[in-house]
Amino acid sequence: MPTFEAAARKESFTLAGEEVGLSQSSVSKQIMELESRLGQPLFVRAHKQISLTPAGHRLLRAYSLAASQIIDALEDLLQERSKKQIVLSTSTANAAFMLLPRVAEVRECFPGGEIFVVTSDPQGIETAGQVDLVLSFGKPDFSDLKLRPLFRDILTPVCSPEFMDRKGPLRHVDDLLRCELLYMQAQHPSWIGWRQWLRHFSLELPKNHQAMGFNNYYNTIQACLAGQGVALGWLRLLGDSLSSGQLVTPFPEYVETEDQYHLAWPAHRRPEFAIEPFEEWLWRRYGGNIPGFTPSDAERISRPPASRF
């Protein structure tokens, strides 16, 4: 095949032979053997000139594509030798709200490494692949991970300013009972739903209350940003939307979770990179005060049991 490609590119058996180190007659013989196997000509032979037939053009395109893929694969393999890929597993929500808006800052935590982010719900723990580091909320359900606990989260209702203008005023928690409530279907005991959150303020959802649900938190917040209702806000995730004014917190009441965010890594092997820069970045960026929300101890409620709604 290299002989065919050279002949097609040079449009000359003689020049192709010079490139691949064969005589003109040897090149011609190889091309004839290939044509015999295919049962059709690949070149139109004229006096001191050759050109590709339609079948020859087809074979050249296929050969060029395959050669390009081989070159790309070789370059990828060579790059893998020269740098360390760090596989970071987390939930869709953590990736969307914590990591992706600050990719450059995350890269700085792992100098010399290539970050490959894998998302897996509900907890963000991908066990099928070769995961190096996990960022999860709630204690991971796997015993073969070493854990480093981080910070808790704060839960309070959030909505868009447009929703507030349309449905307001929202002054008391019981005003929520006349609002469209957006919820994420809980897939893990660490997640808290509306029903249990409201019960800590002695409120029950009406049996005929119609809400809109989603199977992931990112879509829940997108609907909230679009002014479709009130969502239960995990404020560690939503700091950017609060500080920009895209979301607001109507009430001072909130719930602080007992569960925490965690960093975790496989217990059977020591990480080949330092975890501390990423841990310090998470604390600095997400572990302190939350922009746009100033809770008071008088309004704090400890975490309720988990609920599906």
Side-chain angles (χ1 to χ4, degrees):
M1 287 299 292
T3 303
F4 162 76
E5 189 274 338
R9 179 164 37 81
K10 297 287 188 178
E11 296 186 336
S12 167
F13 289 163
T14 301
L15 295 178
E18 292 176 358
E19 182 172 307
V20 299
L22 296 173
S23 65
Q24 185 273 344
S25 59
S26 296
V27 171
S28 179
K29 182 179 179 181
Q30 285 192 17
I31 298 298
M32 290 177 63
E33 290 175 350
L34 180 59
E35 290 175 324
S36 177
R37 290 175 60 191
L38 296 175
Q40 54 188 313
L42 299 173
F43 291 94
V44 176
R45 292 152 173 92
H47 181 64
K48 295 184 178 181
Q49 185 178 3
I50 61 172
S51 61
L52 288 170
T53 65
H57 279 292
R58 181 180 175 186
L59 182 60
L60 180 62
R61 285 194 299 270
Y63 179 85
S64 299
L65 177 61
S68 175
Q69 291 175 338
I70 291 172
I71 292 172
D72 289 344
L74 288 172
E75 290 180 351
D76 289 343
L77 290 170
L78 288 172
Q79 289 179 6
E80 287 178 7
R81 289 182 57 189
S82 63
K83 63 184 177 183
K84 169 64 178 174
Q85 186 181 74
I86 301 165
V87 181
L88 173 58
S89 180
T90 193
S91 67
T92 304
N94 290 347
F97 296 114
M98 298 176 102
L99 303 183
L100 298 187
R102 295 182 171 85
V103 168
E105 294 180 19
V106 174
R107 284 200 189 106
E108 291 178 359
C109 298
F110 304 97
E114 176 187 288
I115 312 301
F116 187 82
V117 178
V118 178
T119 58
S120 179
D121 293 320
Q123 275 201 302
I125 304 171
E126 172 58 59
T127 58
Q130 187 75 3
V131 172
D132 298 299
L133 192 61
V134 174
L135 172 61
S136 71
F137 179 80
K139 188 176 181 180
D141 295 331
F142 300 91
S143 60
D144 58 345
L145 292 173
K146 286 190 174 181
L147 305 179
R148 187 167 291 177
L150 299 172
F151 35 79
R152 295 179 171 85
D153 212 330
I154 291 175
L155 277 66
T156 194
V158 295
C159 65
S160 68
E162 294 77 15
F163 184 88
M164 281 278 286
D165 293 341
R166 191 172 71 251
K167 292 290 186 177
L170 301 179
R171 296 192 178 96
H172 307 288
V173 173
D174 54 6
D175 289 335
L176 290 169
L177 301 183
R178 59 178 176 84
C179 294
E180 293 85 356
L181 300 184
L182 309 172
Y183 74 95
M184 189 202 79
Q185 185 178 27
Q187 300 169 344
H188 190 269
S190 61
W191 279 79
I192 300 166
W194 273 118
R195 196 175 300 279
Q196 294 297 327
W197 192 91
L198 289 169
R199 283 175 181 168
H200 273 70
F201 302 97
S202 302
L203 292 174
E204 289 285 345
L205 282 174
K207 292 184 179 179
N208 61 348
H209 182 83
Q210 294 183 346
M212 187 170 185
F214 302 85
N215 70 342
N216 70 69
Y217 193 60
Y218 178 80
N219 290 343
T220 307
I221 295 303
Q222 291 305 304
C224 188
L225 289 167
Q228 299 303 305
V230 182
L232 193 53
W234 294 69
L235 299 193
R236 300 290 180 198
L237 299 179
L238 302 179
D240 288 345
S241 297
L242 293 172
S243 61
S244 67
Q246 291 180 292
L247 292 177
V248 296
T249 56
F251 315 110
E253 289 84 359
Y254 70 98
V255 168
E256 183 177 24
T257 64
E258 290 182 2
D259 283 313
Q260 298 169 274
Y261 290 89
H262 287 82
L263 279 181
W265 58 93
H268 63 276
R269 57 185 172 89
R270 184 181 181 86
E272 298 181 10
F273 51 89
I275 295 172
E276 287 73 19
F278 186 52
E279 179 184 11
E280 292 169 3
W281 176 79
L282 288 168
W283 272 103
R284 184 173 65 254
R285 179 60 71 179
Y286 298 108
N289 295 331
I290 297 170
F293 185 74
T294 307
S296 63
D297 289 339
E299 308 295 346
R300 174 182 172 181
I301 302 291
S302 61
R303 173 194 179 278
S307 170
R308 292 179 63 82
F309 176 74

